[in-house]
């Protein structure tokens, strides 16, 4: 089964402390609360109907200065605008095709604030405050103190919605609470059960087949390099196309060896490790800038005269052939052309490069 977010609540009343532990269920584990598996398309239609009814019968009761949001049911005869009808935070949605489930999931979300700092991806780690509730408005989990999560190890819907937001700015100041975040992304997602826990009950507070509501604040993120090949996992994706405008790392295997690029130390199958192919010439790999970055910087650093920071991972060199080495020489465009096939993805390009 897929990895799911599971929640265990530990109450220490003497200390008035609530501890929340989040772990993932692997393929070899048997959950304690498994129930009979329903057909995904049938359950999805039921979930979507329930979510649509919630969006049509509830309104945004409040959004405070820290983007904590509450919903309430529209009373009989009430004039409040529903979540769907209100325009302060227009209801948005994305479609997520899941071939394993045979379902094209629609996930609704609200963007309370996009955020102003870094973007993240479904294979990165995020630092979030969050609240989880059922469509009955019963709360099953809450953490105002941010928690680190690896997005690929929590419920699938998080990896689809949270990358649509940006992180905040980390501020430090003297005083009893010196660390704060400002301008962070904040939103709400409404997840069908197939994008959440489906037939599992990660706690007694969450019935099986429950659509879920998560409100969240994206404070920070860390980009990951799963295979430690020097290319961040978020960059190990295919080029966007009309059919797939937002490609994902888990869908990309450029050399067809059965390993997704973000888990493959030799992305083009030429028997040279990616890390070897992105190494700068004549520079020790032990220093920070010993490798070309995926993309170059906007400006060259004058304090490093031997390195041009504007250069990203190059393609196969296209300049004149050096008569001594019988190898092509680099052109500046080989390092900057946005359409270039970077050499660690090109099986015809391998050391020696020059």
């Amino acid at each position: 089964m897929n990895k799911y977010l599971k929640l265990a609540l530990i109450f220490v009343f003497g200390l008035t402390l609530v501890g929340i532990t989040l772990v993932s269920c692997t393929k070899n584990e048997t959950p304690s609360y498994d129930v009979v598996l329903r057909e995904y398309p049938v359950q999805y239609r039921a979930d979507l109907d329930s979510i649509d009814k919630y969006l049509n019968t509830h309104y945004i009761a409040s959004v405070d200065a820290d983007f904590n949001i509450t919903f309430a049911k529209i009373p009989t005869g009430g004039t409040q605008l529903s979540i769907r009808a209100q325009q302060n935070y227009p209801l948005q949605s994305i479609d997520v095709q899941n071939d394993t489930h045979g379902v094209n999931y629609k996930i609704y979300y609200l963007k309370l604030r996009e955020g102003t700092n870094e973007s993240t991806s479904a294979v990165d780690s995020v630092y979030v405050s969050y609240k989880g509730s059922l469509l009955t408005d019963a709360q099953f989990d809450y953490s105002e103190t941010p928690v680190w999560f690896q997005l690929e190890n929590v419920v699938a819907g998080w990896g689809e919605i949270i990358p649509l937001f940006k992180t905040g700015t980390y501020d430090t100041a003297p005083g009893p609470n010196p660390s704060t975040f400002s301008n962070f992304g904040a939103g709400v997602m409404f997840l069908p059960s197939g994008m959440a826990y489906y037939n599992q009950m990660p706690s007694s507070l969450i019935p099986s087949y429950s659509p879920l509501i998560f409100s969240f604040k994206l404070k920070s993120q860390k980009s990951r390099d799963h295979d430690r090949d020097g290319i961040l996992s978020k960059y190990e994706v295919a080029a966007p196309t009309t059919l797939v405008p937002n490609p994902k790392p888990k869908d990309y295997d450029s050399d067809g060896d059965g390993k997704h690029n973000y888990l493959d130390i030799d992305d083009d199958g030429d028997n040279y490790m990616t890390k070897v192919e992105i190494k700068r010439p004549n520079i020790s790999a032990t220093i920070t800038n010993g490798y070309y970055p995926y993309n170059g910087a906007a400006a060259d650093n004058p304090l490093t005269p031997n390195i041009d920071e504007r250069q990203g991972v190059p393609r196969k060199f296209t300049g004149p052939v050096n008569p001594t080495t019988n190898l092509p020489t680099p052109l500046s465009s080989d390092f900057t052309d946005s359409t270039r096939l970077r050499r660690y993805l090109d099986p015809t390009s391998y050391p020696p490069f020059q």
Side-chain angles (χ1 to χ4, degrees), residues 12 19 23 144 149 166 187 295:
V12 184
V23 298
E144 180 56 31
F149 295 112
K166 296 179 180 179
N295 288 315

Side-chain angles (χ1 to χ4, degrees), residues 12-296:
V12 184
F13 294 101
L15 300 177
T16 63
L17 172 69
V18 179
I20 302 178
T21 303
L22 299 100
V23 298
S24 64
C25 173
T26 66
K27 294 182 179 180
N28 296 324
E29 292 175 340
T30 302
S32 302
Y33 297 99
D34 270 352
V35 297
V36 175
L37 185 65
R38 299 175 184 171
E39 293 185 4
Y40 285 103
V42 174
Q43 183 60 40
Y44 169 62
R45 288 193 292 270
D47 289 345
L48 188 59
D49 181 65
S50 297
I51 292 171
D52 280 333
K53 287 179 179 176
Y54 185 93
L55 296 173
N56 292 334
T57 60
H58 288 69
Y59 68 100
I60 298 175
S62 66
V63 179
D64 68 17
D66 202 39
F67 291 93
N68 296 303
I69 189 170
T70 58
F71 301 113
K73 190 171 184 178
I74 301 173
T76 302
T79 58
Q80 296 90 342
L81 291 177
S82 69
I83 298 171
R84 189 188 299 278
Q86 59 79 36
Q87 289 300 309
N88 290 330
Y89 307 102
L91 183 67
Q92 302 180 62
S93 68
I94 60 169
D95 294 325
V96 179
Q97 180 62 42
N98 187 312
D99 293 332
T100 302
H101 295 182
V103 174
N104 185 22
Y105 287 103
K106 172 175 280 190
I107 304 180
Y108 289 106
Y109 68 97
L110 299 174
K111 188 170 283 190
L112 308 181
R113 181 170 65 186
E114 182 175 4
T116 61
N117 199 4
E118 294 180 299
S119 297
T120 191
S121 81
V123 292
D124 289 332
S125 296
V126 293
Y127 193 50
V128 293
S129 303
Y130 68 96
K131 180 177 74 173
S133 355
L134 306 176
L135 295 186
T136 61
D137 292 322
Q139 180 178 303
F140 60 81
D141 194 15
Y142 173 78
S143 180
E144 180 56 31
T145 301
V147 180
W148 279 106
F149 295 112
Q150 294 178 355
L151 277 178
E152 61 190 304
N153 291 339
V154 296
V155 293
W158 279 44
E160 301 295 341
I161 297 299
I162 289 184
L164 302 176
F165 294 75
K166 296 179 180 179
T167 65
T169 302
Y170 180 65
D171 305 314
T172 58
N177 184 27
S179 301
T180 59
F181 289 88
S182 59
N183 300 315
F184 50 81
V188 185
M189 63 182 89
F190 303 86
L191 301 183
S193 64
M195 289 282 100
Y197 304 110
Y198 203 56
N199 66 320
Q200 297 188 27
M201 296 174 62
S203 84
S204 60
L205 301 177
I206 306 176
S208 57
Y209 299 111
S210 292
L212 302 179
I213 304 170
F214 283 103
S215 59
F216 60 90
K217 305 169 195 176
L218 176 58
K219 302 297 181 66
S220 186
Q221 73 95 40
K222 291 179 181 178
S223 298
R224 301 175 66 199
D225 179 4
H226 288 70
D227 53 7
R228 300 184 181 182
D229 65 354
I231 304 296
L232 294 177
S233 296
K234 65 182 179 182
Y235 293 138
E236 303 222 48
V237 296
T241 65
T242 302
L243 293 178
V244 186
N246 298 302
K248 302 175 183 178
K250 293 184 179 181
D251 297 331
Y252 188 42
D253 174 15
S254 61
D255 60 1
D257 65 353
K259 294 180 181 178
H260 300 301
N261 278 28
Y262 80 108
L263 299 173
D264 191 349
I265 62 173
D266 177 13
D267 291 325
D268 55 7
D270 62 1
N271 296 318
Y272 287 93
M273 291 193 302
T274 295
K275 182 168 283 191
V276 172
E277 297 192 78
I278 68 171
K279 186 178 177 181
R280 297 180 188 270
N282 305 317
I283 293 180
S284 170
T286 60
I287 63 175
T288 302
N289 52 9
Y291 297 94
Y292 291 109
Y294 182 77
N295 288 315

Side-chain angles (χ1 to χ4, degrees), residues 317-330:
F317 294 151
T318 59
V321 173
N322 183 323
T324 302
T325 63
N326 202 34
L327 294 171
T329 56

